[in-house]
Short mmCIF file of all heavy atoms in Angstrom, two decimals:
data_model
loop_
_atom_site.label_atom_id
_atom_site.label_comp_id
_atom_site.label_asym_id
_atom_site.label_seq_id
_atom_site.Cartn_x
_atom_site.Cartn_y
_atom_site.Cartn_z
N ARG A 495 -14.18 14.27 13.51
CA ARG A 495 -13.15 13.79 12.60
C ARG A 495 -13.79 13.03 11.44
O ARG A 495 -14.58 12.11 11.65
CB ARG A 495 -12.16 12.86 13.33
CG ARG A 495 -11.33 13.55 14.42
CD ARG A 495 -10.36 14.55 13.80
NE ARG A 495 -9.48 15.15 14.79
CZ ARG A 495 -9.72 16.30 15.41
NH1 ARG A 495 -10.85 16.97 15.14
NH2 ARG A 495 -8.86 16.80 16.28
N LEU A 496 -13.44 13.42 10.23
CA LEU A 496 -13.85 12.71 9.03
C LEU A 496 -12.69 11.84 8.58
O LEU A 496 -11.61 12.33 8.24
CB LEU A 496 -14.22 13.70 7.91
CG LEU A 496 -14.46 13.10 6.53
CD1 LEU A 496 -15.65 12.14 6.55
CD2 LEU A 496 -14.67 14.21 5.49
N ALA A 497 -12.90 10.51 8.59
CA ALA A 497 -11.88 9.55 8.16
C ALA A 497 -12.38 8.90 6.87
O ALA A 497 -13.09 7.90 6.90
CB ALA A 497 -11.63 8.50 9.24
N ALA A 498 -12.03 9.49 5.75
CA ALA A 498 -12.48 9.01 4.45
C ALA A 498 -11.38 8.21 3.76
O ALA A 498 -10.19 8.41 4.02
CB ALA A 498 -12.89 10.18 3.56
N HIS A 499 -11.79 7.29 2.90
CA HIS A 499 -10.83 6.55 2.08
C HIS A 499 -9.91 7.54 1.37
O HIS A 499 -10.37 8.49 0.73
CB HIS A 499 -11.59 5.70 1.06
CG HIS A 499 -10.75 5.23 -0.08
ND1 HIS A 499 -9.56 4.56 0.12
CD2 HIS A 499 -10.91 5.33 -1.43
CE1 HIS A 499 -9.02 4.28 -1.06
NE2 HIS A 499 -9.83 4.74 -2.01
N GLN A 500 -8.62 7.30 1.50
CA GLN A 500 -7.62 8.23 0.97
C GLN A 500 -7.39 7.98 -0.52
O GLN A 500 -6.36 7.46 -0.95
CB GLN A 500 -6.32 8.09 1.75
CG GLN A 500 -6.48 8.36 3.25
CD GLN A 500 -6.79 9.82 3.54
OE1 GLN A 500 -5.89 10.67 3.44
NE2 GLN A 500 -8.03 10.11 3.90
N ALA A 501 -8.38 8.36 -1.31
CA ALA A 501 -8.35 8.09 -2.75
C ALA A 501 -7.53 9.12 -3.49
O ALA A 501 -6.68 8.80 -4.32
CB ALA A 501 -9.77 8.06 -3.29
N ASN A 502 -7.81 10.38 -3.22
CA ASN A 502 -7.25 11.49 -3.97
C ASN A 502 -7.60 12.75 -3.18
O ASN A 502 -8.72 12.88 -2.68
CB ASN A 502 -7.88 11.51 -5.37
CG ASN A 502 -7.46 12.68 -6.22
OD1 ASN A 502 -7.70 13.83 -5.88
ND2 ASN A 502 -6.84 12.38 -7.35
N ALA A 503 -6.66 13.67 -3.05
CA ALA A 503 -6.90 14.86 -2.23
C ALA A 503 -8.08 15.67 -2.74
O ALA A 503 -8.84 16.26 -1.95
CB ALA A 503 -5.65 15.72 -2.19
N ARG A 504 -8.27 15.71 -4.06
CA ARG A 504 -9.39 16.47 -4.61
C ARG A 504 -10.73 15.86 -4.22
O ARG A 504 -11.69 16.57 -3.90
CB ARG A 504 -9.27 16.54 -6.13
CG ARG A 504 -8.10 17.38 -6.62
CD ARG A 504 -8.03 17.39 -8.14
NE ARG A 504 -6.99 18.29 -8.64
CZ ARG A 504 -6.71 18.46 -9.92
NH1 ARG A 504 -7.41 17.79 -10.84
NH2 ARG A 504 -5.76 19.28 -10.30
N ILE A 505 -10.80 14.53 -4.23
CA ILE A 505 -12.03 13.85 -3.81
C ILE A 505 -12.29 14.11 -2.33
O ILE A 505 -13.43 14.42 -1.93
CB ILE A 505 -11.92 12.34 -4.08
CG1 ILE A 505 -11.93 12.07 -5.58
CG2 ILE A 505 -13.06 11.58 -3.39
CD1 ILE A 505 -11.71 10.62 -5.95
N LEU A 506 -11.26 14.00 -1.50
CA LEU A 506 -11.42 14.22 -0.06
C LEU A 506 -11.92 15.63 0.22
O LEU A 506 -12.82 15.83 1.05
CB LEU A 506 -10.08 13.99 0.65
CG LEU A 506 -9.48 12.59 0.54
CD1 LEU A 506 -8.13 12.54 1.22
CD2 LEU A 506 -10.42 11.55 1.13
N ASP A 507 -11.35 16.61 -0.45
CA ASP A 507 -11.76 18.01 -0.23
C ASP A 507 -13.20 18.23 -0.69
O ASP A 507 -13.97 18.94 -0.03
CB ASP A 507 -10.83 18.96 -0.96
CG ASP A 507 -9.44 19.02 -0.35
OD1 ASP A 507 -9.29 18.58 0.81
OD2 ASP A 507 -8.50 19.48 -1.03
N ALA A 508 -13.57 17.62 -1.81
CA ALA A 508 -14.92 17.81 -2.34
C ALA A 508 -15.97 17.19 -1.41
O ALA A 508 -17.03 17.79 -1.18
CB ALA A 508 -15.03 17.19 -3.74
#
Side-chain angles (χ1 to χ4, degrees):
R495 295 293 184 266
L496 171 62
H499 163 53
Q500 302 291 286
N502 176 299
R504 292 179 174 179
I505 291 175
L506 299 177
D507 290 343

